[in-house]
Amino acid sequence: MMKIVQFLRIVAVSMAAGVLLTGCATLPRDSFSLSEDAIASPAGFANVRFTENSPALTAAMEKALTPDAHGDVNALALSGGGANGAYGAGLVYGWGKSGAMPKFQLVTGVSTGALTAPFAFLGRDWSEQLRKSYLEGKVYVLLKGRGLLSLITPGLFSRAPLDDLVRGYVTDDLLRAVAAEHARGRRLLVATTNLDTEQLIVWDMGAIATRGGAPARELFAQVLVASASVPGVFPPSLIQVESNGRRFEEMHVDGQTESAFFAVPPRLLLTNAASAQPGRVQFYIVVNGRMDSLFAVTPRSSLPILGRSFDVAARASVRQMLISTAEFCRRSGCALHVSAMPVEQKDDPLDFRAKHIRSLFAGGQASLDADKAWQDVSQLP
């Protein structure tokens, strides 16, 4: 079991060793200005991403949330949570196989939730691909040590297994399927954190998929990997962009660094406008973690205190985001459904061992079978 305290201990030892071995060496990067980055985009991909506060993002999301033929609107947000993402994957798998999962007009994913998001977006026909991605081995070896390289370059663990996992299912078939749904007006959005600008960046994965070919496969996979690259655990992703003919690389990491999940843009959270169709909008949020307070006597030592504080802050952040989203739904007339890991499940985002992953995946399915998957925010522990 590798909780955040153990992780911090590894980080502390590695940093100390790194200072002794390298004298705090820093890898070189090309510099660029904020004004250059503000108008930058990946070469050949215009209008495929937004900043969180962008009016264009708000407009795109509002346009996507158009009622279907039955007058219904359904949206799904998948949170971060590392290995705990197997819970959300199991829930989506079981939901899709049951035939009861809605065809969402909007699906968003952050961190480990980003890895599940394309399958939730595509629905039942892709359920087996989702199951294979979690239960057929590649997930179990995500934490592969980098040896001495971790002391002189960013990231304690190799990103190669994560790259291999993602690129294994980001195929031309998947891109064509995402592009076809994008053409129908549905939207698949994935968030990363741009460390250079300290902003949440929301990527329109359907717009990327529409480009097609090797460049689209590469960027699509790169965004998913970046969103799931926990800082310090995995090396950051350097995404090449172009601005006024000049190319440089932005540093992107785990979307959860900025936001535990992405459901409603700040511009909409702050609006007082009411929905024209109260009761017909269903918003589902999957929290890949437990929401209850976890009891344990904290050792009187710096690293355990720091680690426990991080755990408390992260859980509080999720709760606050849920409260904000619930208040938005109350004002705008949408129904909010939340699923979080049950208290009997082990909450350990860095435990990628087969036993833990399989238990969480089965737990997600079981919560649906027992009709306990979805709760009101007020019912959460």
Coordinates of all heavy atoms in Angstrom, one line a residue, residues 75-79 87 91 95 261 263 282-291 318-319 321-327 329 334-342 367-368 371-381:
A75 N -25.3 14.9 -19.1 CA -23.9 15.3 -19.1 C -23.2 14.4 -18.0 O -23.8 14.1 -17.0 CB -23.7 16.7 -18.8
L76 N -22.0 14.1 -18.2 CA -21.2 13.3 -17.3 C -19.8 13.9 -17.1 O -19.1 14.3 -18.1 CB -21.0 11.9 -17.9 CG -20.1 10.9 -17.2 CD1 -20.6 10.5 -15.8 CD2 -19.8 9.6 -18.0
A77 N -19.4 14.0 -15.8 CA -18.0 14.4 -15.5 C -17.3 13.4 -14.7 O -17.9 12.8 -13.7 CB -18.1 15.7 -14.7
L78 N -16.1 13.0 -15.1 CA -15.3 12.0 -14.5 C -14.1 12.6 -13.8 O -13.3 13.3 -14.4 CB -14.9 10.9 -15.5 CG -16.0 10.2 -16.2 CD1 -15.6 9.7 -17.6 CD2 -16.5 9.0 -15.3
S79 N -13.9 12.3 -12.5 CA -12.9 13.0 -11.7 C -11.5 12.3 -11.8 O -11.4 11.2 -12.3 CB -13.3 13.1 -10.2 OG -12.9 11.9 -9.5
Y87 N -12.6 2.4 -10.2 CA -14.0 2.4 -9.7 C -14.9 3.1 -10.8 O -16.0 2.5 -11.2 CB -14.1 3.2 -8.4 CG -15.6 3.5 -8.0 CD1 -16.4 2.5 -7.4 CD2 -16.2 4.7 -8.2 CE1 -17.7 2.7 -7.1 CE2 -17.5 5.0 -7.9 CZ -18.2 4.0 -7.4 OH -19.6 4.2 -7.0
L91 N -17.9 1.3 -13.1 CA -19.3 1.9 -13.1 C -19.7 2.1 -14.5 O -20.8 1.7 -15.0 CB -19.3 3.1 -12.3 CG -20.7 3.8 -12.0 CD1 -20.7 4.5 -10.7 CD2 -21.1 4.7 -13.1
W95 N -22.6 0.2 -16.5 CA -23.7 1.0 -17.0 C -23.9 0.9 -18.5 O -25.1 0.8 -18.9 CB -23.4 2.5 -16.6 CG -24.5 3.4 -16.5 CD1 -25.9 3.2 -16.5 CD2 -24.4 4.9 -16.3 NE1 -26.6 4.3 -16.3 CE2 -25.7 5.4 -16.2 CE3 -23.3 5.7 -16.2 CZ2 -25.9 6.7 -16.0 CZ3 -23.6 7.1 -15.9 CH2 -24.8 7.6 -15.9
F261 N -12.4 17.8 -10.8 CA -13.2 17.4 -12.0 C -13.7 18.6 -12.7 O -13.5 19.8 -12.1 CB -14.4 16.5 -11.6 CG -15.4 17.2 -10.6 CD1 -16.4 18.0 -11.1 CD2 -15.3 16.9 -9.3 CE1 -17.3 18.6 -10.2 CE2 -16.2 17.5 -8.4 CZ -17.2 18.4 -8.9
A263 N -16.9 20.2 -14.5 CA -18.3 20.1 -14.8 C -18.9 21.3 -15.4 O -19.5 21.3 -16.4 CB -19.1 19.7 -13.5
Q282 N -30.0 16.3 -16.7 CA -29.4 15.3 -15.7 C -27.9 15.4 -15.8 O -27.3 15.2 -16.8 CB -29.8 13.9 -16.1 CG -31.3 13.7 -16.2 CD -32.1 13.8 -14.9 OE1 -31.6 13.5 -13.9 NE2 -33.3 14.4 -15.0
F283 N -27.3 15.8 -14.7 CA -25.8 15.9 -14.6 C -25.3 14.8 -13.7 O -25.7 14.7 -12.5 CB -25.4 17.3 -14.0 CG -24.2 17.9 -14.7 CD1 -24.2 19.1 -15.4 CD2 -23.0 17.1 -14.8 CE1 -23.1 19.6 -16.0 CE2 -21.9 17.6 -15.4 CZ -22.0 18.8 -16.0
Y284 N -24.4 14.0 -14.2 CA -23.8 12.9 -13.4 C -22.3 13.2 -13.2 O -21.6 13.6 -14.1 CB -23.9 11.6 -14.2 CG -25.3 11.2 -14.5 CD1 -26.0 11.6 -15.6 CD2 -26.0 10.3 -13.6 CE1 -27.3 11.2 -15.9 CE2 -27.3 9.9 -13.9 CZ -28.0 10.4 -15.0 OH -29.3 10.0 -15.3
I285 N -21.9 13.1 -11.9 CA -20.5 13.3 -11.6 C -20.0 12.0 -10.9 O -20.5 11.6 -9.9 CB -20.3 14.5 -10.7 CG1 -20.7 15.8 -11.4 CG2 -18.8 14.6 -10.2 CD1 -20.6 17.0 -10.5
V286 N -18.9 11.4 -11.4 CA -18.2 10.3 -10.8 C -17.0 10.8 -10.1 O -16.1 11.3 -10.7 CB -17.9 9.2 -11.8 CG1 -17.1 8.1 -11.2 CG2 -19.1 8.7 -12.5
V287 N -16.9 10.6 -8.8 CA -15.8 10.9 -7.9 C -15.0 9.7 -7.7 O -15.5 8.7 -7.0 CB -16.2 11.6 -6.6 CG1 -15.0 11.9 -5.7 CG2 -17.0 12.8 -6.8
N288 N -13.8 9.6 -8.2 CA -12.9 8.4 -8.1 C -12.2 8.5 -6.7 O -11.0 8.7 -6.7 CB -12.0 8.3 -9.3 CG -12.7 7.8 -10.5 OD1 -13.4 6.8 -10.5 ND2 -12.6 8.6 -11.6
G289 N -12.9 8.4 -5.7 CA -12.3 8.4 -4.3 C -13.5 8.4 -3.3 O -14.6 8.5 -3.7
R290 N -13.1 8.2 -2.1 CA -14.1 8.2 -1.0 C -14.4 9.6 -0.5 O -13.4 10.4 -0.5 CB -13.7 7.3 0.1 CG -13.8 5.8 -0.2 CD -13.2 4.9 0.9 NE -13.6 5.2 2.2 CZ -13.1 4.6 3.3 NH1 -12.3 3.6 3.1 NH2 -13.5 4.9 4.5
M291 N -15.6 9.9 -0.1 CA -15.9 11.2 0.4 C -16.0 11.3 1.9 O -16.1 12.4 2.4 CB -17.3 11.7 -0.2 CG -17.3 11.8 -1.7 SD -16.1 13.1 -2.3 CE -16.7 14.5 -1.5
V318 N -12.7 18.6 -3.4 CA -13.8 17.9 -4.1 C -15.1 18.3 -3.5 O -16.1 18.5 -4.2 CB -13.6 16.3 -4.0 CG1 -14.8 15.6 -4.6 CG2 -12.3 15.9 -4.7
R319 N -15.2 18.3 -2.2 CA -16.5 18.6 -1.5 C -17.0 20.0 -1.9 O -18.1 20.3 -2.2 CB -16.4 18.5 0.0 CG -16.2 17.1 0.5 CD -16.4 17.1 2.0 NE -16.1 15.8 2.6 CZ -15.0 15.5 3.3 NH1 -14.1 16.5 3.5 NH2 -14.8 14.3 3.8
M321 N -16.2 21.7 -4.6 CA -16.6 21.7 -6.0 C -18.0 21.1 -6.2 O -18.8 21.6 -7.0 CB -15.6 21.0 -6.9 CG -14.3 21.7 -7.1 SD -13.2 20.9 -8.3 CE -14.2 21.2 -9.8
L322 N -18.3 20.1 -5.5 CA -19.6 19.5 -5.5 C -20.6 20.4 -5.0 O -21.7 20.5 -5.6 CB -19.6 18.2 -4.7 CG -18.9 17.0 -5.3 CD1 -18.9 15.8 -4.3 CD2 -19.6 16.5 -6.6
I323 N -20.3 21.1 -4.0 CA -21.3 22.1 -3.4 C -21.6 23.2 -4.4 O -22.7 23.6 -4.6 CB -20.8 22.7 -2.1 CG1 -20.8 21.6 -1.0 CG2 -21.6 23.9 -1.6 CD1 -20.1 22.0 0.3
S324 N -20.5 23.7 -5.1 CA -20.7 24.8 -6.1 C -21.5 24.3 -7.2 O -22.4 25.0 -7.7 CB -19.3 25.2 -6.6 OG -18.6 25.8 -5.6
T325 N -21.2 23.0 -7.7 CA -22.0 22.5 -8.8 C -23.4 22.2 -8.4 O -24.4 22.5 -9.2 CB -21.4 21.2 -9.3 OG1 -20.0 21.4 -9.6 CG2 -22.0 20.6 -10.5
A326 N -23.7 21.8 -7.2 CA -25.0 21.5 -6.7 C -25.8 22.9 -6.6 O -27.0 22.9 -7.0 CB -25.0 20.9 -5.3
E327 N -25.1 23.9 -6.2 CA -25.8 25.2 -6.1 C -26.2 25.7 -7.5 O -27.2 26.3 -7.8 CB -24.9 26.2 -5.4 CG -25.4 27.7 -5.4 CD -26.8 27.8 -4.7 OE1 -27.2 26.9 -4.0 OE2 -27.4 28.9 -5.0
C329 N -26.8 23.8 -10.1 CA -28.0 23.0 -10.5 C -29.2 23.4 -9.9 O -30.3 23.4 -10.5 CB -27.7 21.5 -10.3 SG -26.5 20.8 -11.5
C334 N -31.3 21.9 -13.0 CA -30.8 20.5 -13.4 C -30.7 19.6 -12.2 O -30.5 20.0 -11.1 CB -29.5 20.6 -14.2 SG -28.1 21.2 -13.2
A335 N -30.9 18.3 -12.5 CA -30.8 17.3 -11.4 C -29.4 16.8 -11.4 O -28.8 16.5 -12.4 CB -31.7 16.1 -11.7
L336 N -28.8 16.8 -10.2 CA -27.4 16.4 -10.0 C -27.3 15.0 -9.3 O -27.9 14.8 -8.3 CB -26.6 17.4 -9.2 CG -25.2 17.1 -8.9 CD1 -24.4 17.1 -10.2 CD2 -24.6 18.2 -7.9
H337 N -26.6 14.1 -9.9 CA -26.4 12.7 -9.4 C -24.9 12.5 -9.2 O -24.1 12.7 -10.1 CB -26.9 11.7 -10.3 CG -28.3 12.0 -10.9 ND1 -29.4 11.7 -10.2 CD2 -28.7 12.6 -12.0 CE1 -30.5 12.1 -10.9 NE2 -30.1 12.7 -12.0
V338 N -24.5 12.1 -8.0 CA -23.1 11.9 -7.7 C -22.8 10.5 -7.3 O -23.6 9.9 -6.5 CB -22.6 12.9 -6.6 CG1 -21.1 12.7 -6.3 CG2 -22.9 14.3 -7.0
S339 N -21.7 9.9 -7.8 CA -21.3 8.6 -7.4 C -19.8 8.7 -6.8 O -19.0 9.3 -7.5 CB -21.3 7.6 -8.6 OG -20.9 6.3 -8.1
A340 N -19.6 8.2 -5.6 CA -18.3 8.2 -5.0 C -18.0 6.8 -4.5 O -18.9 6.0 -4.3 CB -18.2 9.2 -3.9
M341 N -16.7 6.4 -4.4 CA -16.4 5.1 -3.9 C -17.0 4.8 -2.5 O -17.0 5.7 -1.6 CB -14.8 5.0 -3.8 CG -14.1 4.8 -5.1 SD -12.3 5.0 -4.9 CE -11.9 4.0 -3.5
P342 N -17.6 3.7 -2.4 CA -18.2 3.3 -1.1 C -17.2 3.1 0.0 O -16.0 2.9 -0.2 CB -19.0 2.0 -1.4 CG -18.3 1.4 -2.6 CD -17.8 2.6 -3.4
S367 N -22.0 -1.4 -7.4 CA -22.8 -0.2 -7.0 C -24.0 0.0 -7.9 O -25.1 0.3 -7.4 CB -22.0 1.0 -6.9 OG -21.6 1.4 -8.2
L368 N -23.9 -0.3 -9.2 CA -25.0 -0.2 -10.1 C -26.0 -1.3 -9.9 O -27.2 -1.1 -9.8 CB -24.5 -0.2 -11.5 CG -23.9 1.0 -12.1 CD1 -23.2 0.7 -13.4 CD2 -24.9 2.1 -12.3
D371 N -28.2 -0.8 -7.1 CA -28.9 0.5 -7.2 C -28.4 1.5 -6.1 O -29.2 2.2 -5.6 CB -30.4 0.2 -7.0 CG -31.2 1.4 -7.6 OD1 -30.7 2.1 -8.5 OD2 -32.4 1.6 -7.1
K372 N -27.1 1.5 -5.9 CA -26.5 2.4 -4.9 C -25.5 3.3 -5.5 O -24.8 4.0 -4.8 CB -25.9 1.6 -3.8 CG -26.9 0.8 -2.9 CD -26.1 0.1 -1.8 CE -27.1 -0.7 -1.0 NZ -26.4 -1.5 0.1
A373 N -25.5 3.4 -6.9 CA -24.4 4.1 -7.5 C -24.6 5.6 -7.4 O -23.6 6.3 -7.2 CB -24.4 3.8 -9.0
W374 N -25.8 6.1 -7.4 CA -26.0 7.5 -7.5 C -26.7 8.1 -6.3 O -27.7 7.5 -5.8 CB -26.9 7.9 -8.8 CG -26.2 7.4 -10.0 CD1 -26.6 6.3 -10.8 CD2 -25.1 7.9 -10.6 NE1 -25.8 6.1 -11.8 CE2 -24.8 7.1 -11.8 CE3 -24.2 9.0 -10.3 CZ2 -23.7 7.3 -12.6 CZ3 -23.1 9.2 -11.2 CH2 -22.9 8.4 -12.3
Q375 N -26.2 9.2 -5.8 CA -26.7 9.8 -4.6 C -26.9 11.3 -4.8 O -26.2 11.9 -5.7 CB -25.8 9.6 -3.4 CG -25.5 8.2 -3.1 CD -24.5 8.1 -1.9 OE1 -24.7 8.5 -0.8 NE2 -23.3 7.4 -2.2
D376 N -27.7 11.9 -4.0 CA -27.8 13.4 -3.9 C -26.5 13.9 -3.1 O -26.0 13.2 -2.3 CB -29.1 13.8 -3.2 CG -29.2 15.3 -3.2 OD1 -29.8 15.9 -4.2 OD2 -28.8 15.9 -2.2
V377 N -26.1 15.1 -3.4 CA -24.9 15.6 -2.7 C -25.1 15.6 -1.2 O -24.2 15.3 -0.5 CB -24.6 17.0 -3.2 CG1 -23.5 17.7 -2.4 CG2 -24.1 17.0 -4.7
S378 N -26.3 15.9 -0.8 CA -26.6 16.0 0.6 C -26.5 14.6 1.3 O -26.4 14.5 2.5 CB -28.0 16.5 0.9 OG -29.0 15.7 0.3
Q379 N -26.5 13.5 0.5 CA -26.5 12.2 1.1 C -25.0 11.7 1.2 O -24.8 10.6 1.9 CB -27.3 11.2 0.2 CG -28.8 11.5 0.1 CD -29.5 10.6 -0.9 OE1 -28.9 10.2 -1.9 NE2 -30.7 10.2 -0.6
L380 N -24.1 12.4 0.7 CA -22.7 11.9 0.7 C -22.2 12.0 2.1 O -22.6 13.0 2.9 CB -21.8 12.7 -0.2 CG -22.1 12.5 -1.7 CD1 -21.4 13.5 -2.6 CD2 -21.8 11.1 -2.2
P381 N -21.3 11.1 2.5 CA -20.7 11.2 3.9 C -19.9 12.4 4.1 O -19.3 13.0 3.2 CB -19.9 9.9 4.0 CG -19.6 9.5 2.6 CD -20.7 10.0 1.8

